[in-house]
Amino acid sequence: IPQMLLGTMPVMLVSIIPQTLVGGLLTKGGADASLWSMISSFCTGLAAAIQAGATLVFTWGIMRTIEKDGEELALPRAEHKAVAELTKSEEVFVQAFLDVTQWKKLSLVMRIGLLSSVIFLMLSGFVIAADFTLSEKVCFRKFKITDSISADYELGGLNNNALNIVILPLGAMALGLACIGSILHVAVGKRMNIVAKRPNDKIHPEEQCDKKPQEQGSIPDNSTKSNSAVGTQATSSPNS
């Protein structure tokens, strides 16, 4: 763990500190607002350049390590044994989950729930995206980090109520659709997990019904064998 924490320390220099500085400068206002705005814009550009450069350096380092020590890193290690065993133990569940989530094997209720979830989330996303593109807001009021909640709408505030940032009715409708879609998405996922964890003979009963006649057809007919045996004995008894 200490090595992992040490390896993530550069994130503070290339991401956390610059973005925190930019956020702090955005709160500056007053008579020197234009000066602070210029400094904030400069810091934003500097932070973006630092992150882009860091991404290139990290990518180059990773690719170089893979080319140099890729074969050695691909070898199994003792510390990876627990992860490998866990992955192997979950293979049956993963395969069962992929099987039960096929569209043709979903029940009508699951199909309706899944489609409803997609439709609600897409409608919510469309309304929120339209709110961002339109000049006149229809979902959420404009509110900056330097604005005051207690101020009036005309002054960029929220009339002393943070919930007023939501514009009725479209704002509440978009949030409600997103909430319902998320609940349906989680419910369908939970249901599929439960079905995938069932024994194999309970996952798809219709498949088991198809297999039973085949299994019964392959079982030898004992009555036919017994009749054949009786006929053989009856034929051989006069000769004796």
Side-chain angles (χ1 to χ4, degrees):
I1 296 179
Q3 293 180 352
M4 296 171 60
L5 295 176
L6 182 63
T8 56
M9 286 293 291
V11 177
M12 297 183 62
L13 299 176
V14 301
S15 179
I16 297 178
I17 293 178
Q19 294 300 328
T20 304
L21 180 61
V22 171
L25 292 173
L26 289 175
T27 62
K28 295 293 183 179
D32 299 332
S34 60
L35 176 61
W36 289 115
S37 177
M38 182 179 62
I39 296 176
S40 176
S41 299
F42 173 77
C43 291
T44 302
L46 181 62
I50 292 175
Q51 290 187 9
T55 302
L56 293 176
V57 173
F58 295 158
T59 305
W60 174 78
I62 293 173
M63 296 301 296
R64 181 182 178 185
T65 302
I66 293 175
E67 291 178 359
K68 182 179 179 182
D69 304 320
E71 295 181 358
E72 181 179 354
L73 293 174
L75 296 176
R77 300 182 181 182
E79 55 266 28
H80 296 167
K81 184 177 179 181
V83 178
E85 291 178 353
L86 179 62
T87 303
K88 186 177 181 180
S89 63
E90 292 179 348
E91 287 181 356
V92 177
F93 169 76
V94 172
Q95 185 60 39
F97 186 83
L98 294 175
D99 184 52
V100 300
T101 52
Q102 294 184 20
W103 179 257
K104 62 181 180 180
K105 294 184 179 180
L106 292 177
S107 64
L108 180 61
V109 176
M110 289 295 100
R111 292 183 181 182
I112 294 175
L114 189 59
L115 286 175
S116 301
S117 173
V118 173
I119 292 173
F120 290 155
L121 289 175
M122 289 186 65
L123 288 176
S124 174
F126 175 77
V127 174
I128 294 175
D131 180 68
F132 277 98
T133 56
L134 295 175
S135 58
E136 186 69 22
K137 298 297 181 181
V138 294
C139 288
F140 307 105
R141 290 185 172 88
K142 292 182 179 180
F143 188 81
K144 300 178 181 179
I145 193 172
T146 55
D147 294 334
S148 176
I149 296 177
S150 59
D152 296 333
Y153 292 142
E154 293 78 9
L155 300 177
L158 298 176
N159 277 0
N160 204 27
N161 188 355
L163 296 179
N164 287 334
I165 196 172
V166 180
I167 300 176
L168 300 177
L170 288 181
M173 185 185 302
L175 294 177
L177 290 174
C179 182
I180 296 174
S182 299
I183 293 174
L184 289 174
H185 174 74
V186 173
V188 171
K190 292 288 186 181
R191 177 60 181 172
M192 291 297 97
N193 280 330
I194 294 174
V195 175
K197 291 179 181 178
R198 289 179 178 177
N200 293 332
D201 57 345
K202 295 182 179 180
I203 293 179
H204 296 299
E206 65 275 6
E207 294 183 359
Q208 298 297 328
C209 294
D210 295 339
K211 293 181 180 179
K212 285 182 180 180
Q214 298 177 1
E215 294 176 356
Q216 292 176 358
S218 60
I219 298 176
D221 191 351
N222 294 330
S223 60
T224 304
K225 285 187 175 181
S226 59
N227 292 336
S228 301
V230 171
T232 303
Q233 292 178 359
T235 306
S236 59
S237 57
N239 295 332
S240 60

